[in-house]
Amino acid sequence: MGSGCRGALLCKSSLAFLIPSSFTSSHLRFNKSITNSNSYRMATGASSSSASVTGGDTVNSSVNKGAAPSASSAIDFLSLCHSLKTTKRAGWIRRDVKDPESIADHMYRMGLMGLIMAEIPGVDRDKCIKMAIVHDIAEAIVGDITPSDGISKAEKSQREREALDHMCKLLGGEARAQEIRELWMEYEENSSAEAKIVKDFDKAEMILQALEYENEQGKDLDEFFQSTAGKFQTKLRKTWAKEIASRRKKAN
């Protein structure tokens, strides 16, 4: 969707991504003057979107699969993710929804969708839950970019991949960072059964939230229902969308 604020760009200097463990969330506020791609890449160190590189070290199969981030790295990462709790989704802001949900609110309910979904042969339910938690994580840095921002899909993807590179680097590039990267990339590329399900979670959660705002605030948010019509990829999610549409019809 999108966020009213532009997230947190790490732009204190050309070495902005080399943040010491003592950083605070006040360092993570997006500067609206930094919106073009050249400035953004300077702020992020111009990390490549095609390479799984963090701090010059390629993340590969040699990663220690049992390694967890240090306490310092973990708290740095979690503090960075704080902005997911405070950044509101822009689609609702632009439609004057009062007290709109945050990015974290959206991801949390998607995680619940994974928790309660039926068992499906060949589908890893736990992976769906993890992917739901991870799918918008780069927005902790770049914000929730929407088509209304005038940023191309390619540029949006580039910014998010660079943000993800930084977040994985912050975790030390070990097993947990690699897992987050793989889940995020799989979702972005829609390359697995789990990714297709979580993509549908994303749409279903949005229209459920739209229905709730319509009921609570008397809004007409039909455009959100129209934008997802016919775009669900999985049978289970189609049934959920049908149920949401049925409840909307009854409410009207």
Side-chain angles (χ1 to χ4, degrees):
M1 189 179 283
S3 72
C5 82
R6 282 285 146 276
L9 250 183
L10 310 178
C11 54
K12 286 292 182 180
S13 71
S14 60
L15 297 178
F17 272 7
L18 303 180
I19 301 175
S21 61
S22 60
F23 83 100
T24 67
S25 59
S26 64
H27 295 125
L28 305 173
R29 291 293 167 264
F30 182 82
N31 184 338
K32 290 187 177 181
S33 66
I34 303 176
T35 55
N36 64 69
S37 60
N38 290 334
S39 295
Y40 180 82
R41 290 192 182 98
M42 286 178 65
T44 58
S47 54
S48 170
S49 63
S50 60
S52 296
V53 178
T54 56
D57 297 323
T58 302
V59 179
N60 54 37
S61 58
S62 66
V63 168
N64 182 349
K65 293 184 178 181
S70 67
S72 177
S73 294
I75 298 306
D76 283 353
F77 174 83
L78 294 172
S79 294
L80 174 54
C81 289
H82 171 73
S83 64
L84 294 169
K85 297 170 63 177
T86 58
T87 303
K88 305 299 184 180
R89 302 243 289 165
W92 308 130
I93 291 175
R94 291 194 175 105
R95 286 148 190 88
D96 297 320
V97 169
K98 296 177 183 177
D99 192 24
E101 66 171 346
S102 69
I103 298 168
D105 292 332
H106 169 64
M107 293 196 296
Y108 174 73
R109 188 153 63 174
M110 283 176 61
L112 291 179
M113 288 177 170
L115 187 64
I116 67 172
M117 67 179 279
E119 296 290 346
I120 302 173
V123 172
D124 185 337
R125 187 172 64 92
D126 288 346
K127 186 176 182 181
C128 288
I129 297 170
K130 291 179 180 181
M131 193 176 291
I133 294 170
V134 163
H135 83 288
D136 276 344
I137 200 166
E139 293 178 11
I141 293 175
V142 302
D144 192 7
I145 300 169
T146 73
S148 300
D149 296 317
I151 296 171
S152 69
K153 288 184 178 180
E155 177 65 17
K156 177 178 181 291
S157 178
Q158 175 75 4
R159 293 186 184 192
E160 290 180 347
R161 289 176 189 233
E162 289 171 352
L164 187 73
D165 281 346
H166 167 64
M167 297 181 85
C168 290
K169 179 181 178 180
L170 202 60
L171 284 175
E174 294 289 352
R176 300 298 178 261
Q178 180 72 341
E179 182 180 27
I180 288 172
R181 182 189 299 280
E182 290 173 355
L183 287 166
W184 189 89
M185 290 297 298
E186 198 170 303
Y187 176 83
E188 285 294 300
E189 296 170 358
N190 198 27
S191 59
S192 66
E194 290 84 2
K196 288 176 172 58
I197 288 170
V198 179
K199 288 276 188 182
D200 280 357
F201 285 167
D202 188 50
K203 298 180 186 72
E205 203 288 322
M206 184 182 71
I207 61 172
L208 177 56
Q209 186 64 75
L211 173 60
E212 290 163 348
Y213 287 147
E214 284 187 335
N215 293 340
E216 294 166 1
Q217 301 185 27
K219 298 287 184 181
D220 180 0
L221 300 172
D222 187 62
E223 63 189 283
F224 293 95
F225 295 90
Q226 294 299 326
S227 70
T228 59
K231 294 184 179 179
F232 288 87
Q233 304 175 84
T234 61
K235 183 178 179 180
L236 179 61
R237 253 38 66 191
K238 288 176 183 177
T239 63
W240 286 10
K242 185 177 180 180
E243 176 64 20
I244 293 168
S246 175
R247 294 188 180 203
R248 185 173 186 243
K249 185 176 181 180
K250 291 177 181 178
N252 294 332

